Amino acid sequence: MTAPRIGLDLDAEGRVTIAPLTYLGGPLFAAFRMACSQHGARYNHEIKASVVLPALVPGLAEALRAAGFQPVVSEALAVNLKASAEEARATMAAANERLKSLIEDLTARGLSLYPFQVSGVAWLEGRASAMLCDEMGLGKTVQAVMSMNRTTPRAIITCPASLKGNWERELARWRPEVMAVVLAGRNSFCWPQPGQAVILNPDILPKVEEEDEEGAVHKVKPFEDCPPGIDLIADECHAYKSPKAKRTKSFRALARAVRRAGGRTWGLSGTPILNRPQELYALLSAFDLLKETFGDWPSFCRAWGSTPKHFGGQEWGDPSPAIGPILKRVMLRRRREEVLPDLPTKTRAVIPVDIDNKTRALCDEARAAIDAAGISLDQMVADGRISGAAFEMISKTRAALATAKIPAMMDLLDQYEDDGVAVVVFSAHRAPIQALAHRKGWAWFTGETPASERTDIVARFQAGEFKGLGATIGAGGVGHTLTYAHNALFVDQDWTPALNCQAEDRICRIGQDRGCIIRILTAPDTIDEQVADILIAKQAIIDGSIEKAAAKPAEVPMAVHPDQLEAAAANVGSVARAATGRRGASGKAEEWAKGALLALAEAHRFSARDKGFGESLAAQLQGNGELTDKQWVYAVKICRAYAQEPI
């Protein structure tokens, strides 16, 4: 039996239209629609056809073949796909040249990178704008440093204040010819000179809006004199997830100025989605990557199965499988277990602990406050509108829970010390961390600890001077390497799963030679358990989208391989369908004929004489509900021949 043919054509706007060329019965049509929706195609009501971007055609064509269809591409689309294949091969050749040059450079310096890091550098330095989103601990910093212009380096690096010292050290090791200029304080911003890398925290970027004495806000342009050829590197770029934040507005203005002057803008983050998909949209906008990915906000929402809420905002559904291939065009992400099979994995264990009656009573009050507000804890966190009396009660309760767990924490630390095992303690609250101040041989820091002091504490811990180290998740969860320990103890966790994961990866990263054990203290039948459920749900969103964009260790970091593009262009044929004078059913007879045609085709009731023409008409109606005037005449005539009663 001949496989049903599906036509793919390139329209005047550069989109690919998809339509059956023969009639598809119910199950076949459902399989066709499923293959389309899972590979980024959407139905366009204006043109009454499904459309998809050309870059997604290889995956769609493969899916159609797997579902038993025969994809047929037009001449125009075949030319487009073959041109894309040639462009991809040229990109691969250029990347290979960069790889060769990089390896020679490293060898001359007596340095070496992991193979996945070498390919990451070749990928990054070939892009004007991109996001490097390797999992935490895989060396995004060194990849970015080695990707900077090697002829005339000139860079700006934005990062959290606590990581400025880390960037300075990495530059000294990997790019000693580049002078690090570390900025601090308001009004300290300056452009880097050739051979310099300016390092600053985003909070000291010049403002792009100023308020006059009367309270009126005026826009200013502090980056108009941007010099050419700057590499702008944004570490922990998820800090720019909120478009309304002052730091985001300043960074976006800086990034636009750098790109206008012929520079490059790169974002580094192991967690491009912290809570909600719109954060990823904000990052793609900040790095001018929307055109290469989703195009606009409505298309982004469709890809995430989003629907508008009644009172504003979006209800996010299941991410489309097409999101991974789309993001691969602009994002490079490698997982720890794929690129470093021998890098230690994590073992997690939840440890239930007892709490005092007073704290448990407070937990009951918090639950009552949530019920009284008519909302759920899940909604409060997922919607991102965490405010009001109910949330104040929840915050108070979580802080009390963290304090109530201190005795259990201390008992566990006694066991670690008896075994001679170093451990890192994390908490979302200060009280458990500050309690370590009275513990002999321990060090600790919070967000209030100066950045230089934190750097010194971490260095001394890595040197083995302390039995253990405590840090709040916000202060210790990013940038630091704490591989002296392979045990981490979480007194409690942050609302955001990505931040907890980042904290875990302080001990589970390059340089760790043991399996990592993560223990989490939990008070049963309290908010702790509810928070754990919320974190699992949030992680599922991340796993269903960003993780789908992860590259395999052996593959060239490209969105689509040239061979895939050429394979999609192989079966060229006629996909033309009548396009002039087409319209929907008009009048009682045509409406009846439309339903009758589809029913006759579904039941295979056409005679041998009518089969070809009848099923062709049915296929067109199934695809877009339209026929020409002449076709409507024949449709009514054919159906009357099969009708038991005259219409």
Side-chain angles (χ1 to χ4, degrees), residues 160-299:
S162 61
L163 300 185
K164 290 192 288 188
N166 181 62
W167 276 93
E168 188 176 14
R169 286 193 302 273
E170 293 297 285
L171 278 167
R173 180 185 179 191
W174 295 96
R175 298 294 297 271
E177 79 280 14
V178 180
M179 178 189 296
V181 180
V182 182
L183 305 184
R186 296 283 181 186
N187 303 318
S188 63
F189 179 79
C190 63
W191 296 111
Q193 298 302 309
Q196 290 184 344
V198 168
I199 306 172
L200 71 156
N201 48 304
D203 299 316
I204 64 175
L205 282 171
K207 296 179 180 178
V208 294
E209 293 178 344
E210 291 184 351
E211 193 172 307
D212 61 23
E213 295 180 355
E214 298 179 354
V217 177
H218 303 279
K219 292 187 180 297
V220 293
K221 299 179 179 180
F223 306 118
E224 288 296 286
D225 58 342
C226 178
I230 287 178
D231 290 330
L232 173 59
I233 302 169
D235 193 12
E236 305 294 343
C237 66
H238 49 263
Y240 310 114
K241 64 180 182 179
S242 175
K244 295 181 180 179
K246 292 180 180 179
R247 66 165 64 176
T248 302
K249 291 179 179 179
S250 293
F251 176 80
R252 287 189 175 191
L254 173 60
R256 284 193 296 269
V258 167
R259 288 192 292 268
R260 279 198 302 266
R264 300 179 291 185
T265 55
W266 302 325
L268 313 183
S269 176
T271 53
I273 297 180
L274 288 174
N275 286 302
R276 295 170 296 279
Q278 59 259 46
E279 296 167 356
L280 176 62
Y281 182 86
L283 292 183
L284 294 172
S285 300
F287 290 92
D288 194 30
L289 297 172
L290 274 177
K291 289 182 181 178
E292 292 183 67
T293 52
F294 300 95
D296 53 25
W297 175 248
S299 297

Side-chain angles (χ1 to χ4, degrees), residues 117 120-121 132 134 138-147 334:
Q117 292 176 325
V121 173
L132 180 61
D134 287 346
L138 295 185
K140 292 186 290 294
T141 300
V142 67
Q143 292 178 71
V145 165
M146 292 305 300
S147 299
R334 276 79 59 89

Side-chain angles (χ1 to χ4, degrees), residues 9 11 13-19 36-37 39-45 47-54 56-57 60 302:
D9 196 7
D11 70 9
E13 297 182 21
R15 303 170 301 184
V16 176
T17 59
I18 314 145
C36 289
S37 64
H39 288 81
R42 59 184 176 82
Y43 188 76
N44 186 306
H45 290 279
I47 63 173
K48 292 184 171 56
S50 293
V51 296
V52 72
L53 295 173
L56 296 182
V57 168
L60 173 60
R302 281 190 290 269

Side-chain angles (χ1 to χ4, degrees), residues 115-121 123 132-136 138 143 332-339 547 549-553 557:
F116 80 89
Q117 292 176 325
V118 175
S119 64
V121 173
W123 179 86
L132 180 61
C133 296
D134 287 346
E135 276 193 329
M136 288 79 78
L138 295 185
Q143 292 178 71
L332 181 60
R333 179 172 177 83
R334 276 79 59 89
R335 297 192 189 96
R336 177 186 297 101
E337 63 269 20
E338 291 174 333
V339 298
E547 301 306 345
K552 299 296 185 293

